[in-house]
Amino acid sequence: MTDRSGIFAGDDPFVIARSWLAEAEKTEPNDPNAMALSTVDASGMPNVRMVLLKEIEDDAFVFYTNYESQKAQEIEGSGTAAFVLHWKSLRRQIRVRGVTEREDGAQADAYYASRSLKSRLGAWASRQSHPLESRAALVTEVARVTVKHGISPARPPFWGGCRVRPVEVEFWADGAYRLHDRFRWTRKNIGGEWGIARLNP
């Protein structure tokens, strides 16, 4: 049994993650749900970029993207992803590694419909990660899709959610004299029981 208490108390990493994110929403000046998402391409070369975490489910973390983007193609190829949430105001971070699956059903439809009209039209207009001739060309494409899809565009078939189901979740909090607190939850398979270990800083 690990000596966990305070901000680390509890045996469900998703409950702890929700609690930390809720705290960050009160203290972070911008995008408390921003996370650095890491993927690997077919040759094993890593990539990392910032995306926005949109939901912490009972057993997964969900973000949304263009399925034709580089990150989505790399996720599709490997079936895995990792990310880190870091909050300077709280001096904490959460690291996650896991397997992935698409969320392209009613849940994705509902989230897409909740976005601003400009964001919904932008999803149609942008061929994310592909070469772009100029900004003017992108603006022209936005105008074209606006005429085509109107003020209530349906979710594009190439745009939707990605669910990360973790096999590892690590919680880190800054400690005095660089003696940080680190606890790692691990499980052998999705739906399995979590093992918890304290790690050296």
Side-chain angles (χ1 to χ4, degrees):
M1 179 66 98
T2 56
D3 55 332
R4 290 178 299 106
S5 60
I7 62 172
F8 295 101
D11 294 326
D12 186 333
F14 301 98
V15 171
I16 298 172
R18 286 193 204 100
S19 174
W20 284 25
L21 178 57
E23 285 187 68
E25 288 171 347
K26 301 173 185 176
T27 58
E28 286 293 298
N30 293 297
D31 297 328
N33 59 331
M35 63 185 195
L37 176 72
S38 179
T39 57
V40 293
D41 66 17
S43 69
M45 181 66 75
N47 258 323
V48 66
R49 79 290 285 162
M50 302 303 295
V51 300
L52 296 179
L53 174 67
K54 288 301 179 180
E55 188 172 356
I56 302 177
E57 300 178 331
D58 289 342
D59 198 50
F61 300 84
V62 182
F63 67 94
Y64 290 83
T65 189
N66 184 315
Y67 291 141
E68 296 174 356
S69 67
Q70 187 169 2
K71 63 178 164 301
Q73 292 300 304
E74 290 174 355
I75 287 170
E76 192 78 15
S78 71
T80 61
F83 66 83
V84 60
L85 290 153
H86 175 73
W87 300 295
K88 293 180 74 68
S89 62
L90 296 179
R91 304 175 75 87
R92 299 181 206 166
Q93 71 178 26
I94 302 174
R95 294 175 59 238
V96 173
R97 297 197 302 162
V99 297
T100 58
E101 63 184 44
R102 283 192 180 189
E103 171 46 64
D104 56 2
Q107 185 172 328
D109 290 339
Y111 172 67
Y112 180 80
S114 75
R115 304 177 87 211
S116 71
L117 176 59
K118 289 182 178 180
S119 292
R120 283 178 281 156
L121 292 168
W124 275 103
S126 174
R127 297 187 63 231
Q128 196 174 91
S129 302
H130 291 75
L132 177 63
E133 178 184 340
S134 65
R135 184 166 186 83
L138 180 59
V139 172
T140 298
E141 182 62 13
V142 171
R144 188 189 72 80
V145 299
T146 299
V147 170
K148 180 177 180 180
H149 296 287
I151 61 172
S152 185
R155 178 174 60 86
F158 53 80
W159 190 98
C162 178
R163 181 176 285 112
V164 181
R165 294 195 181 278
V167 294
E168 182 177 309
V169 182
E170 180 188 314
F171 296 90
W172 175 100
D174 182 65
Y177 309 108
R178 309 295 292 176
L179 301 180
H180 313 307
D181 286 308
R182 294 175 64 188
F183 290 94
R184 182 175 63 196
W185 273 248
T186 56
R187 58 185 178 180
K188 292 183 178 179
N189 48 62
I190 304 305
E193 290 191 11
W194 291 102
I196 308 169
R198 177 186 275 274
L199 303 180
N200 272 278

